[in-house]
Amino acid sequence: MPLPPAPSKRAALLAPEAYSLLSNEEPSDVPVAGVQPAEWPHVRNKAATPPAAAAAAAPTAKASARGRKSEVANPTPAHRSEQPTAPPMVRGAHRPRSAVLPAQTATLQPAGAAARRRSVKSNSSSTPRLFVLDTNVLLHDPMSLFRFEEHDIFLPMIVLEELDGHKKGMTEVARNGRQTSRTLDALAAQQGGDIAKGLKLSATGHQTARGMLFFQTEPLKADLPSSLPQGKADNQILGVVHALREKYPQREVILVSKDINMRVKARALGLAAEDYQNDKTLEDGELLYAGALALPQDFWVRQSKAIESWQSGSHTLYRVGGPVVAQFHINQFVYFEAPGEPSLYARVTEIRDKTAVLKTLKDYTHLKNAVWGVTSRNREQNFALNLLMDPEVDFVTLAGTAGTGKTLMALASGLTQVLDDRRYTEIIMTRATVSVGEDIGFLPGTEEEKMGPWMGALDDNLEFLAKGDGGNAGEWGRAATNELIRSRIKVKSMNFMRGRTFMNKYVIIDEAQNLTPKQMKTLITRAGPGTKIICMGNLAQIDTPYLTEGSSGLTYAVDRFKGWPHGGHITLARGERSRLADFASEVL
């Protein structure tokens, strides 16, 4: 048989198939499809191999080797992307031994355990993972079934039992349980679906869910430690995860649970467990959009040639460019402070291509611009008052620690625009009724009387505002002012908000960090024509169970409204309540 022509490329650039198929002196131990290990020609002694048998085995090995993939990793990783397959010219089964360099021959490894592990690892990255959902995930988010993209979902039978036990009642958990049951019923009733082989999650219209839903249709046994009671639902789910991992060793089986102890027990047993992350807007609270950005020290030097400026009423507008524009958002505040240079405080009003328009602010630190007798004491408070007093901004979120002036500024701005400017008809105030300690029980009276104990912050700030506005009107004048203010402020409970529409109202949502994203959506969508909504909260004081800084409704609203032309956010950084409160916020 004539030898094939010499390779036109260096031997180091050849794919591993070339080494295993062309070397007649050093054959590879890579298994060939259709040839059993006992039949490999190089395993037996070459002197004892009959020529006829060797000739019969060679064509079979050649034909089967052309259509298969090698499991041996490329010895030169840098060339893996350049030569993923053997060159087309390599077709023979033999070549001279001198063409193989000794160093390259030494790198050829048989497809042993290490190669198999590499193969399984590479396949697991492309194989859809199998997520086993805990009951609390479905009760937390009924749409969680459709949040796992191309991966598959497995529901143990005990999860369906627990769902059945939580479907009664009027609580949020019961509503989510009923919604989940209806979703599972719709998936199980899909046309052409086989529950034993899995159901397509996209059958109900959720095209982003490309995986399959599997129910437990047969008993799964797993050996768990005897210290775990077998009758407990959590341990039964752990047993299912363990059994699935043993049954499908080639797939990655992961438990998804909101229960921290459940995840800890799973990891103690060597099982993969994760938290349900889809409800979290941010992984780290420090990544939350602050609403303000400090301009670099060389900002004006870079803008000296391309800057434009013009006057609009009492405001100056600048058109700027450069790489810093990529960090801007609409209604974001920017400021420039440098020793010996004039300061700039502006708001981004327009972003177009690589340029942005900055509009200077109204100075609420001056007494002539006081809002119901209140002036800003720091930079962030000035930013907040510019948002609160702007009629073009319909939604404002204020975040900050205790004593930063959130409620006071929101009330002062509301009273000015309701009583003086007649921009809104009344102020509506509500908050999440979540206790810090033990609940005091049912409260008598009307809706406003029941909400009275929760509105201590409102009373404190109204007392301050009324005292400052009364001047020397005397006791009767202050009483009349208080009565007028009270007549324009309505305190409402969140429990009765669904279905309502507020028109030309100034709505204040206090303690918004205790709201879930669903509750936040319910409240914001109550806004009718001419209504302005202000959400305030301190993400460091979340009292609602199972809510964190990343999953709070306030974080959700700030992130979703970022960059909207009629919404704005500012994080208040400095406390102005008292030196005692400021020090306590820092050290406690």
Side-chain angles (χ1 to χ4, degrees), residues 8 10 140 161 188 196 251 257 314 374 380 456 547 566 573:
S8 60
R10 293 181 55 191
H140 177 78
E161 287 288 336
R251 298 194 66 177
S257 176
S314 60
V374 174
E380 285 76 20
L547 272 188
H566 301 286

Side-chain angles (χ1 to χ4, degrees), residues 385-496:
L385 285 175
N386 273 273
L387 288 176
L388 293 169
M389 296 298 294
D390 190 347
E392 293 299 318
V393 178
D394 300 332
F395 183 72
V396 179
T397 50
L398 302 177
T401 59
T404 50
K406 302 183 294 294
T407 308
L408 180 65
M409 290 189 296
L411 270 178
S413 302
L415 291 174
T416 299
Q417 296 175 85
V418 169
L419 297 175
D420 293 348
D421 302 339
R422 304 296 178 91
R423 191 173 295 156
Y424 309 103
T425 57
E426 63 182 1
I427 299 174
I428 295 178
M429 192 163 185
T430 185
R431 58 163 288 173
T433 54
V434 181
S435 303
V436 177
E438 290 292 331
D439 199 348
I440 61 175
F442 292 101
L443 299 171
T446 62
E447 180 185 359
E448 289 208 18
E449 291 172 343
K450 290 178 185 292
M451 291 294 295
W454 301 101
M455 291 298 171
L458 171 65
D459 298 332
D460 297 340
N461 286 281
L462 283 180
E463 181 182 353
F464 174 81
L465 293 173
K467 184 185 298 183
D469 188 67
N472 297 322
E475 185 176 350
W476 287 99
R478 287 194 298 270
T481 303
N482 288 336
E483 190 67 25
L484 177 62
I485 291 174
R486 290 284 183 179
S487 66
R488 295 300 182 91
I489 298 178
K490 297 291 188 297
V491 178
K492 299 296 181 183
S493 173
M494 285 176 40
N495 299 336
F496 312 107

Side-chain angles (χ1 to χ4, degrees), residues 166-182:
H166 286 89
K167 67 181 182 181
K168 296 180 181 179
M170 297 300 297
T171 62
E172 188 74 17
V173 171
R175 282 193 289 268
N176 290 344
R178 291 192 293 269
Q179 178 63 38
T180 302
S181 299
R182 287 191 289 267

Side-chain angles (χ1 to χ4, degrees), residues 377 401-404 541 574-588:
R377 296 188 178 182
T401 59
T404 50
Q541 294 180 346
R574 215 174 84 192
E576 300 290 349
R577 181 170 288 169
S578 67
R579 57 190 179 189
L580 173 60
D582 295 345
F583 184 72
S585 298
E586 295 175 3
V587 300
L588 295 182

